[in-house]
Amino acid sequence: MDKAVVVLEDVTVSYRLQREQYHTFKEFAIRSLQGRVRYENLLALDSVSLKVYKGDVFGLIGANGAGKTTLLRLVAWVMQPTSGRVIVCGRVAPLLAMGAGFHPELTGRENIFLNGALLGFNRRQIEKLFDQIVDFAELRDFIDAPLRTYSSGMMARLGFAVATAEMPDILIVDEVLSVGDIAFQEKSAERIRQFREQGATILMVSHSMESVQKMCNRAVWLDHGRIAKNGKAQEVVQSFKDYMGIQN
Amino acid sequence: MTITTKLPIVEDRSIRDSAKRVFLPVREVQEAWRYRDLILFLVRRDVTARYKRSLLGIAWTMLNPLGMMIVLSIVFSQVFRINTEGYPAYVLSGLIAWAFFAQTSSNAINVLVWGGNLLQQIYIPRSTFAISAIGTGLVNLVLSLVPLFAVMLVIGISLHPTILLAPLAMILLGMFSLGVGLMISTIGIYFADIVEMYAILLTAWMYLTPIIYPLDILPANVQAWLRFNPMLHLVELFRSLVFYGKLPTLENWLISIGFALATLLIGWLVFTGKSDEFAYRT
């Protein structure tokens, strides 16, 4: 198992920020006339090189604004690097923030199709996965009720069931898995474990050092867009903890 | 707890490499086609969400232009003393074509904003949202033909077989609206208030298009200038087919097709050229 599925070579992402944030044309026009539009570059990722191998459970840790989310966006292919090279092999599926892509007026059934299509499946594929999704989410009795009648737990279950209906090559998990009640949490953790056994790669961002240590085999610690440490999850978490301990 | 379901084998083993340069406008066409089911589901979502909750939903689509028609008919016949034959149907046919253009081209950016949060997390071809806005608009446009036909029957204008060609005019309107919508969306990456500015532009644009007045009330030199307005030709095409019941001139067809294709092409190139920037603007 030493096939790299995610490769970042000297990747830099720089956001061009206006020094004072203008979001409207009106402000921009006024400031331009006054000659006061200035930009500054924010380096979200600064010459980052790393490899994630097939079957890894790879943790991303670091303070807020360290570049973790930007890195995930590169892997999910929603963003192109400013410079450097990104290679991603296989289908990437993100676990979406709860309720993202759902519509309250549509039924659970309609939402499964909509959400599945947002994840890149076509109608035929979703039809094939449909029963499995409903069973996993345990929503058979409510599937034709509008989503606005669902509890937040039910919605979360549905979202998880759709996102993981088919094993992706790379699963992106932003923040800790805290979906639904305890029983469902175990069930979803079990599904992720199965994915891992079947060779999926998992990329997770977490602020909980405990869960990174428990679940990940490798990790990278990002600090202000640079890699502070890259290696075995245990060691990286330990250095991060030491560093934070010194700071405090 | 065990999962008994067998997971199907992943089909898509594509390797994506940011160093591989692709021609984005073509790539985006292929991707939008691959996501065609999503476009369909988005249209269905917008249509059902609008009409599901209230039975009045459909009625509103029809009542709004009807109300405008009544007001304008009174104003134009009583105040301005314009006696265009079948004025209520004349104005209504123009209004629904205009409403289609105005709503879909400004909606293209709204749906992108709606999808913004998703677009930060999962890869979705960005044009799908704008295309679905056109699809939803087309459904509404077809629905609003119902009150138009009702009005025509009431005031004694018969329906003509040329109506069968109306879908062609609608498709051209859709292409033009998509092109404009994509351009507006691209500007929207940089300025959030483009929606408000565009609304003002639309109002002016509507008065520069013979929607509520007949073109021939204007002096000849003004008429000549207005010929540069693409919407004039597209509305004229639509109106010939549904209201006048005569085949549009070849000139009218060619100019409309030309404007629709050129606008869509430019909008598509501009949008796909800049769409990577969406991710950089949070």
Side-chain angles (χ1 to χ4, degrees):
Chain A
M1 289 280 199
D2 53 356
K3 182 178 170 271
V5 287
V6 176
V7 179
L8 270 69
E9 280 171 10
D10 203 19
V11 167
T12 296
V13 171
S14 118
Y15 296 93
R16 195 165 86 135
L17 286 186
Q18 282 140 11
R19 188 155 299 168
E20 296 147 74
Q21 283 268 292
Y22 314 131
H23 279 300
T24 68
F25 180 76
K26 195 174 73 186
E27 284 176 89
F28 176 77
I30 294 168
R31 307 289 175 138
S32 310
L33 286 175
Q34 298 170 330
R36 279 171 51 198
V37 179
R38 281 193 203 88
Y39 297 99
E40 76 190 321
N41 288 328
L42 177 94
L43 283 180
L45 288 177
D46 188 1
S47 317
V48 168
S49 298
L50 65 87
K51 282 182 178 176
V52 179
Y53 294 94
K54 190 171 171 6
D56 273 351
V57 179
F58 197 93
L60 290 168
I61 58 177
N64 283 330
K68 304 186 296 285
T69 307
T70 302
L71 204 152
L72 290 187
R73 284 182 188 167
L74 289 172
V75 176
W77 219 250
V78 296
M79 182 180 237
Q80 299 290 310
T82 312
S83 70
R85 185 178 184 186
V86 180
I87 304 171
V88 180
C89 305
R91 193 174 75 88
V92 181
L95 283 185
L96 296 175
M98 199 185 84
F102 281 136
H103 195 286
E105 284 306 320
L106 302 184
T107 64
R109 182 188 302 275
E110 290 165 330
N111 269 302
I112 289 177
F113 278 90
L114 177 62
N115 218 254
L118 286 168
L119 291 167
F121 295 113
N122 62 34
R123 179 199 291 270
R124 220 164 19 86
Q125 290 168 315
I126 302 165
E127 275 164 3
K128 243 185 255 169
L129 296 167
F130 185 81
D131 284 321
Q132 188 241 99
I133 292 171
V134 177
D135 289 338
F136 190 83
E138 298 161 20
L139 288 170
R140 184 60 73 184
D141 297 338
F142 309 97
I143 204 64
D144 287 310
L147 211 76
R148 68 187 142 82
T149 64
Y150 283 30
S151 69
S152 57
M154 287 157 85
M155 233 189 291
R157 263 145 56 193
L158 193 62
F160 183 86
V162 176
T164 61
E166 187 178 287
M167 189 181 91
D169 298 292
I170 300 163
L171 183 72
I172 293 182
V173 186
D174 202 340
E175 81 211 279
V176 204
L177 273 178
S178 53
V179 186
D181 54 21
I182 304 261
F184 193 79
Q185 275 181 35
E186 269 171 32
K187 197 170 153 181
S188 46
E190 169 62 25
R191 177 167 267 195
I192 290 182
R193 217 169 298 139
Q194 279 194 357
F195 282 173
R196 196 191 163 185
E197 279 160 19
Q198 291 169 41
T201 307
I202 295 159
L203 220 63
M204 62 180 282
V205 164
S206 181
H207 286 288
S208 153
M209 290 308 121
E210 196 194 341
S211 58
V212 170
Q213 246 166 343
K214 207 170 70 186
M215 295 179 73
C216 302
N217 61 326
R218 290 186 59 224
V220 69
W221 160 24
L222 286 172
D223 184 44
H224 294 96
R226 289 172 170 277
I227 292 182
K229 195 173 168 75
N230 181 0
K232 286 206 172 88
Q234 299 283 348
E235 292 165 17
V236 173
V237 167
Q238 198 50 55
S239 338
F240 182 64
K241 273 182 177 166
D242 292 346
Y243 175 78
M244 295 306 276
I246 290 162
Q247 268 206 332
N248 290 342
Chain B
M1 202 156 295
T2 51
I3 305 164
T4 46
T5 333
K6 269 202 195 105
L7 294 160
I9 297 157
V10 179
E11 296 162 27
D12 186 4
R13 290 239 167 233
S14 56
I15 295 173
R16 287 171 302 172
D17 183 346
S18 69
K20 227 183 267 167
R21 280 288 116 207
V22 286
F23 187 52
L24 290 170
V26 174
R27 168 66 188 257
E28 187 72 14
V29 173
Q30 295 166 338
E31 291 289 271
W33 175 249
R34 197 157 70 81
Y35 276 73
R36 60 190 178 279
D37 283 348
L38 172 64
I39 296 172
L40 205 77
F41 290 136
L42 287 171
V43 171
R44 212 169 63 177
R45 177 200 68 187
D46 292 338
V47 173
T48 35
R50 179 163 181 186
Y51 298 126
K52 214 174 197 175
R53 252 194 128 172
S54 67
L55 283 172
L56 274 175
I58 294 184
W60 282 128
T61 311
M62 303 177 176
L63 285 176
N64 189 14
L66 274 181
M68 283 277 280
M69 176 202 79
I70 292 167
V71 172
L72 288 166
S73 299
I74 294 168
V75 170
F76 273 75
S77 62
Q78 301 302 316
V79 183
F80 294 119
R81 308 262 168 223
I82 286 171
N83 288 312
T84 304
E85 213 194 315
Y87 179 78
Y90 173 88
V91 76
L92 188 56
S93 57
L95 277 177
I96 61 175
W98 181 265
F100 167 77
F101 165 67
Q103 282 166 10
T104 53
S105 57
S106 24
N107 247 341
I109 188 164
N110 290 336
V111 287
L112 255 180
V113 171
W114 175 86
N117 183 30
L118 278 175
L119 291 170
Q120 303 274 12
Q121 299 177 67
I122 29 173
Y123 168 78
I124 306 166
R126 291 188 176 82
S127 59
T128 50
F129 290 99
I131 298 172
S132 78
I134 303 295
T136 309
L138 284 172
V139 173
N140 291 333
L141 178 59
V142 170
L143 281 176
S144 57
L145 287 176
V146 176
L148 174 65
F149 294 156
V151 167
M152 286 170 74
L153 289 177
V154 169
I155 63 174
I157 298 171
S158 48
L159 297 177
H160 301 277
T162 50
I163 195 93
L164 296 172
L165 290 174
L168 289 177
M170 294 185 198
I171 287 168
L172 290 177
L173 265 170
M175 288 164 59
F176 180 73
S177 307
L178 180 57
V180 174
L182 290 172
M183 289 182 216
I184 300 298
S185 303
T186 313
I187 303 172
I189 302 173
Y190 304 99
F191 305 112
D193 60 347
I194 186 68
V195 183
E196 285 85 6
M197 299 197 358
Y198 183 57
I200 299 168
L201 178 75
L202 272 176
T203 311
W205 195 346
M206 182 175 131
Y207 287 105
L208 292 175
T209 312
I211 305 290
I212 59 175
Y213 57 84
L215 183 63
D216 53 26
I217 66 165
L218 296 174
N221 61 332
V222 179
Q223 280 188 38
W225 278 108
L226 285 191
R227 296 246 151 231
F228 289 102
N229 174 3
M231 276 305 284
L232 177 143
H233 302 278
L234 288 159
V235 169
E236 193 172 282
L237 189 77
F238 181 74
R239 218 177 232 152
S240 299
L241 294 166
V242 300
F243 171 69
Y244 291 117
K246 57 174 194 209
L247 283 173
T249 58
L250 183 66
E251 187 200 358
N252 192 187
W253 277 114
L254 291 178
I255 293 177
S256 301
I257 292 170
F259 270 128
L261 277 177
T263 309
L264 178 56
L265 189 70
I266 295 170
W268 194 268
L269 290 173
V270 168
F271 182 77
T272 51
K274 286 283 171 202
S275 65
D276 277 343
E277 305 248 334
F278 277 106
Y280 281 80
R281 309 287 299 191
T282 40

